[in-house]
Amino acid sequence: MLPHERELVKKLEGKPFTLLGINSDGSRSALKDILEKEKITWPNIQDESPGTGPIAKRWNVHGWPTIYILDHTGKIRFKDLRDEKMEEAVMKLIDEISKPGDPK
Amino acid sequence: MRVLRWQFLIVCALLLGPPARADQEYDELLKGFREAQQKFYADYQKAMEKSKNESTSMPAFDMANPPFMAEFRSKFQKYAEKMAGKPDAIPALVWMITSERGGPSDKPSETVKSALETLQKSHLGQAEIADSLDELQYSFWSVGRKPLIELYEAIIKENKDKAAQAAASFNLAFLLYSGHGDDMPPEMKGAAGDKERAQELFRKVAGEYKGTPAAEKADGYVYEMEHLQIGMVAPEFEGGDVEGKTIKLSQFRGQVVVLDFWGFW
């Protein structure tokens, strides 16, 4: 997951794309250490711990990682795609921005 | 990646673990089991390091069917027989079902079949069954959907206890809903109409059984089915980053967004 995510973020620099992490590692300081150690540069929200984090709870997340992919209008378009499949989906959605009128 | 996802679910199921029991003999049994389990994996780790450091061959470890499992299956079975007919037998019978590993499989083993039959025959109406059903939530992966659906339906029909009905209804809804993931292998696929039935059951549990633990969980699935499906606009949320600065989902509108719920803990 992480190596591929790092690559994807680098590859899509300057494109209309954001990887937004919702992290369940318990505290801001714990997350800070991980971000530095793992060279994670994309935005991350610290969402407490599994079972208490309000965002993960509202989104009914019971397994980590859980992935949602949203298009530029904010619509949920894919769930739980990882690595190459995630990249394919993201590319497709970025293409849609410049080619409006696509179905869905 | 399907495999990975299920590994996470199974890890979650293992972390949930069986709840604490008042009965001392059962506690001892469970404690003995956990110690045997820890020892087996610790020995395995040690052997692995030893063979790596000394470049010797690794001794045989039956990971799929560790010897301590057979030993404890018979111990839990004996306990269930001793408590036959009493609610005390329920956690031991449920343990026997959850002890089944591997999958996806739709063929329950003889041990599982006999435990399911005993639950059906002697424990359907007992209120205490509510406390043990949570542990069965992910067992369909190794024992199949059908026997569990039958068990939950029978409890809903026969049990007068509100918490037991709520727990059985939640588990049934979860099972029906899980059969509809795109990543489900054929033997785990649900039937047409299961998803709608699941939604109806989640709503019922969240509404009619308010105040039970099952209702709170069902509420999460009702929300997921109503707001978090493909094609729906993602609901807004906000939270603080490492510096405490607020990040809102809507600030990324106009961009493709991957939401990654993650953690190392």
Side-chain angles (χ1 to χ4, degrees):
Chain A
M1 285 292 301
L2 267 180
H4 193 266
E5 289 179 336
R6 264 193 295 266
E7 236 174 77
L8 189 67
V9 167
K10 209 172 157 194
K11 193 168 154 183
L12 295 178
E13 228 181 293
K15 295 265 199 300
F17 168 73
T18 297
L19 174 55
L20 176 57
I22 320 286
N23 173 272
S24 296
D25 277 304
S27 70
R28 264 151 61 184
S29 62
L31 175 60
K32 200 169 182 202
D33 290 346
I34 295 170
L35 296 186
E36 275 165 20
K37 199 166 153 248
E38 300 293 333
K39 301 185 178 58
I40 293 170
T41 53
W42 52 88
N44 265 282
I45 290 175
Q46 208 301 309
D47 189 38
E48 301 180 21
S49 304
T52 66
I55 304 174
K57 258 174 104 171
R58 183 69 291 182
W59 282 63
N60 203 31
V61 172
H62 298 282
W64 285 260
T66 287
I67 307 276
Y68 280 85
I69 306 179
L70 319 181
D71 68 16
H72 69 286
T73 70
K75 238 184 223 169
I76 297 169
R77 295 290 298 276
F78 302 95
K79 285 186 189 182
D80 284 321
L81 299 180
R82 304 205 209 297
D83 300 330
E84 285 77 22
K85 290 217 164 134
M86 180 210 280
E87 181 167 344
E88 265 170 49
V90 167
M91 293 305 192
K92 181 179 154 1
L93 296 180
I94 291 177
D95 276 352
E96 274 182 25
I97 302 177
S98 50
K99 287 176 221 149
D102 241 30
K104 262 201 184 175
Chain B
M1 276 301 124
R2 171 210 293 159
V3 175
L4 230 181
R5 186 173 173 206
W6 281 105
Q7 281 171 346
F8 272 104
L9 291 180
I10 288 159
V11 169
C12 290
L14 290 176
L15 289 177
L16 277 175
R21 285 272 137 193
D23 190 274
Q24 208 183 352
E25 191 182 346
Y26 188 78
D27 282 349
E28 290 293 318
L29 191 55
L30 208 51
K31 199 172 143 224
F33 167 69
R34 286 187 181 141
E35 282 167 5
Q37 193 178 29
Q38 275 168 7
K39 186 178 179 307
F40 178 81
Y41 291 110
D43 287 350
Y44 174 74
Q45 283 287 341
K46 258 187 245 157
M48 229 170 38
E49 272 161 36
K50 189 166 180 261
S51 85
K52 209 174 114 196
N53 293 338
E54 298 168 14
S55 304
T56 50
S57 65
M58 176 84 183
F61 273 86
D62 189 351
M63 301 305 282
N65 230 335
F68 73 88
M69 281 309 290
E71 180 197 334
F72 276 89
R73 270 198 192 105
S74 95
K75 282 185 176 170
F76 277 88
Q77 186 153 15
K78 281 211 184 86
Y79 180 86
E81 281 162 11
K82 189 176 147 192
M83 297 295 173
K86 291 187 202 157
D88 305 72
I90 297 172
L93 293 165
V94 166
W95 184 92
M96 281 157 64
I97 301 169
T98 57
S99 74
E100 198 75 0
R101 292 284 178 268
S105 160
D106 51 5
K107 288 175 193 66
S109 68
E110 289 308 314
T111 316
V112 169
K113 263 194 227 162
S114 121
L116 281 163
E117 270 165 28
T118 311
L119 283 173
Q120 286 264 12
K121 209 175 75 194
S122 314
H123 303 284
L124 286 184
Q126 293 171 343
E128 290 84 351
I129 204 165
D131 306 330
S132 293
L133 288 183
D134 265 8
E135 294 159 50
L136 289 177
Q137 198 174 333
Y138 297 102
S139 284
F140 69 92
W141 192 251
S142 47
V143 312
R145 297 164 49 87
K146 201 169 156 259
L148 291 173
I149 289 179
E150 284 168 5
L151 176 68
Y152 301 146
E153 283 177 337
I155 294 169
I156 295 168
K157 208 174 137 207
E158 305 287 338
N159 204 307
K160 301 280 173 276
D161 181 75
K162 204 175 149 183
Q165 277 181 20
S169 303
F170 173 80
N171 275 26
L172 178 58
F174 178 78
L175 193 45
L176 295 170
Y177 183 52
S178 329
H180 282 267
D182 292 332
D183 54 354
M184 274 292 165
E187 57 273 67
M188 290 295 142
K189 282 270 182 217
D194 276 5
K195 200 175 172 180
E196 290 70 24
R197 211 180 142 210
Q199 188 160 14
E200 206 178 291
L201 270 167
F202 281 134
R203 280 203 186 113
K204 191 176 158 180
V205 176
E208 285 178 28
Y209 300 101
K210 234 185 181 76
T212 63
E216 197 186 319
K217 285 190 287 176
D219 188 59
Y221 285 91
V222 171
Y223 187 83
E224 180 179 331
M225 293 182 94
E226 289 177 353
H227 299 281
L228 301 172
Q229 299 296 303
I230 286 174
M232 296 177 178
V233 174
E236 170 74 321
F237 60 78
E238 61 173 63
D241 71 3
V242 269
E243 312 298 341
K245 212 180 84 203
T246 301
I247 298 179
K248 285 183 180 184
L249 176 63
S250 55
Q251 75 192 60
F252 305 107
R253 198 51 80 82
Q255 303 181 16
V256 174
V257 178
V258 169
L259 288 183
D260 179 6
F261 291 86
W262 71 289
F264 279 1
W265 68 89

